[in-house]
Amino acid sequence: MTDRRAGIPASPGIAVGPAHLVERRPLAVAPRPLAAGAAAVEAEVERLRGAIARGREQIERARDRVRGAGHPAELVRMMEAHLQLLEDDALERAAERAVREERVNAEWAVRRVAESIRAALEASGDEFFRERRGDVLFAAERILRNLAGLQPDPADDLPAGAVVVAHELSPVDMSHLVHAAVAAVVTETGSRTSHTAILARALGLPAVVGVPDLVGCVDERTLVAVDGARGEVVVAPPPAEVSLFRERARRLAELQRTLREEGERPAETRDGRRIALLANIEFPDEVDAALRGGAEGIGLYRTEFLYVGRPRPPSEEEQLRAYEKVVSRMAPRPVVLRTFDLGGDKFASRPQLAGEPNPALGLRALRLGLHERDLFRIQLRAMLRAAAAGDVGVMFPMVCGVGDFRDALDVVGEAREGLRRDGLACPGDVPIGCMIEVPSAVVVADLLARHAAFFSIGTNDLVQYALAIDRGSERVAQFYQPFHPAVLRLVRQAVRAGREAGLPVSMCGAMAEDPLAVPLLVGLEIDRISVSPASVSLAKAVVRSIRFDDARRLAGEALEAGTAEEVGRIFRDYARQTYPDLAREPLD
Ligand code: PEP
Ligand code: MG
């Protein structure tokens, strides 16, 4: 029977294929006392050591295959973080001690030790340690599977054309995706920023995450249709729907061919309004995709991904290398480096382990930076130093008002002063901008404009906080409405405040990736748009199809509309008349 699910859109693309289930539930483990005598203990310790050593070899092999194939540097880094856990002998020593002192089986010792490490990490106030909890559990499962003589990598041997369905995938599982020609990935856990989502995007693989209780409802080889941009999963679709999905996939492929040519051209409306189209990136390696798409700069570099999933924060030098790579590769085009937006959804790869009761409202982004001032200062030093390599702006995420913005500027001043003392060069005029993504920042945007060099509107969070809708929750996804008139009015207010102060105002939220929203944003007088590398050429093509005077008139109507549905209708009608081939969805 057909089963329709909505999940979190993690990586765009459309696919239909037979399900391939990757079983990743923890193995059941029970305590078993060892036989009397020293020999039984020694034999058990040998079993344990052998299983751990095999685990190390398995990960090393998987990592070398990925590295040899030149695949995402990020994946190699995640696998190394994973490997480190088995190389670092804390787990091995603790498990061995449990076997010897308690005379229990290796399985029980591993499970217990992993649990206590996980609990200690969980309780740690340090976000970097907290993020490693999942890695510990993956490492323990690998050892347990080796002890049981089971295939340690359930994702080995993925059939070509399959839709991979899993509770969750480890970085090693993901490395198998690199080699297999699978069609799409769907997981029960995860967020837009979990490992699976990040890597699926890097691999260009359609993915939907956060689809609860799916694994038990799908049989191996059942047909599954996936739309990664909409977060749609249909299990056992009727034949008519399969044809519809295939038709959409075909249209998408055709569109991508047209767009490759569009990327080369400037984004200018038919009546001559020039819009700058930039790209949002998460890893330095994405710069090439941004340039291929025709990006005129990087409007948002989400630097927090340098920090996620590793035992210690990156050093100043490591950060400098990453930023310089982006800046020099893009030069002379501009690059906006955003200071880390850690916390919130950026750690919640396993929501049940989230460290704060309400992480979206917790110690995150700029407030985490001001709380962990040393960490923040190190990042700012690296950013200021990288500015010597090209055209760099720095901005802060989740600014709430003038107070926190000014505090952040003080830390920039400290970073500058420190660099001067250390005899390290940095340009004196790096523009420092403010993200507008919290409603309070919109309300005081005129005041912020006195201190900031530019504004960048982040609708992903602005929608979340304005409408009180969790941006990562599939249960309220239908209420997450970027076209809500309240959101439009907030955007207009921010644009006006910036304009009146003579500030450049850009938009870097995913709203700008929706072809229907482009004329709305242009009509609201945004003239710098930053989207994911894959969406740059589409946004350019839309801009080239529309007229600025139409966009302004329609934006005026939208600001008077009562609901998101009415706004949607206005722009759907316009798209139907003006650029029917560029819409991602059927327009009738
Ligand atoms: C936003 O909130 O719109 C934004 C661009 O930032 P992020 O998605 O990284 O929170
Ligand atoms: Mg944000």
Side-chain angles (χ1 to χ4, degrees), residues 338 341 346 364 397-398 435 437 458 460-462 471:
R338 181 176 75 180
D341 183 1
K346 304 296 197 305
R364 64 170 294 195
M398 308 285 301
M435 276 202 76
E437 54 181 342
N460 303 344
D461 279 309
L462 190 57
R471 68 188 255 186

Side-chain angles (χ1 to χ4, degrees), residues 87-372:
E87 278 173 344
D88 167 11
D89 56 2
L91 195 139
E92 183 166 342
R93 265 185 294 124
E96 200 176 309
R97 198 175 329 113
V99 170
R100 289 188 191 285
E101 288 174 7
E102 298 167 36
R103 302 187 63 88
V104 283
N105 51 334
E107 288 86 348
W108 186 247
V110 168
R111 172 60 52 75
R112 271 233 346 261
V113 166
E115 262 311 311
S116 66
I117 297 178
R118 189 194 62 76
L121 293 176
E122 172 113 40
S124 151
D126 185 326
E127 289 292 356
F128 306 104
F129 290 120
R130 291 232 295 257
E131 174 57 8
R132 305 225 63 201
R133 296 164 300 196
D135 288 343
V136 172
L137 297 184
F138 281 136
E141 280 311 306
R142 174 174 298 280
I143 304 171
L144 292 175
R145 283 182 165 269
N146 283 337
L147 283 167
L150 294 172
Q151 150 70 279
D153 284 312
D156 210 357
D157 259 346
L158 298 170
V163 172
V164 173
V165 176
H167 176 66
E168 70 180 333
L169 294 171
S170 76
V172 178
D173 296 334
M174 292 296 294
S175 78
H176 294 299
L177 295 177
V178 169
H179 306 289
V182 299
V185 174
V186 184
T187 59
E188 292 185 334
T189 60
S191 69
R192 201 179 60 82
T193 48
S194 56
H195 291 168
T196 309
I198 293 167
L199 292 171
R201 284 200 291 277
L203 297 172
L205 199 59
V208 179
V209 301
V211 187
D213 308 320
L214 183 68
V215 173
C217 305
V218 182
D219 292 325
E220 184 76 13
R221 302 207 55 75
T222 307
L223 213 54
V224 178
V226 178
D227 183 334
R230 294 185 187 173
E232 210 174 280
V233 179
V234 186
V235 181
E241 199 165 2
V242 172
S243 312
L244 205 68
F245 262 87
R246 294 215 159 112
E247 172 57 19
R248 272 163 62 195
R250 195 191 57 72
R251 273 185 37 190
L252 190 68
E254 205 173 279
L255 180 62
Q256 271 155 354
R257 267 193 301 279
T258 320
L259 292 179
R260 269 196 286 281
E261 290 153 29
E262 282 294 333
E264 319 256 307
R265 308 193 180 115
E268 189 172 303
T269 63
R270 279 171 24 227
D271 50 350
R273 170 114 166 150
R274 182 76 169 81
I275 306 293
L277 244 308
L278 298 93
N280 295 343
I281 60 164
E282 287 156 13
F283 305 111
D285 289 348
E286 288 179 282
V287 164
D288 292 332
L291 287 171
R292 270 199 308 279
E296 298 167 76
I298 299 298
L300 164 64
Y301 175 8
R302 293 183 165 100
T303 62
E304 52 273 15
F305 290 101
L306 280 167
Y307 295 73
V308 171
R310 53 186 294 158
R312 263 171 282 286
S315 67
E316 181 177 324
E317 296 301 321
E318 183 184 342
Q319 292 186 58
L320 177 61
R321 279 195 297 278
Y323 306 153
E324 270 181 350
K325 185 169 169 189
V326 173
V327 175
S328 52
R329 186 88 179 82
M330 289 305 292
R333 302 171 190 85
V335 173
V336 176
L337 304 173
R338 181 176 75 180
T339 58
F340 56 73
D341 183 1
L342 293 165
D345 65 333
K346 304 296 197 305
F347 280 114
S349 48
R350 286 159 204 91
Q352 71 278 19
L353 298 181
E356 281 192 282
N358 211 338
L361 306 180
L363 191 60
R364 64 170 294 195
L366 179 56
R367 54 183 85 127
L368 180 67
L370 293 172
H371 186 261
E372 307 277 335

Side-chain angles (χ1 to χ4, degrees), residues 374-391:
D374 291 343
L375 198 68
F376 193 37
R377 199 180 307 104
I378 289 171
Q379 180 172 47
L380 285 166
R381 281 171 60 106
M383 288 183 165
L384 293 172
R385 289 173 69 188
D391 179 353

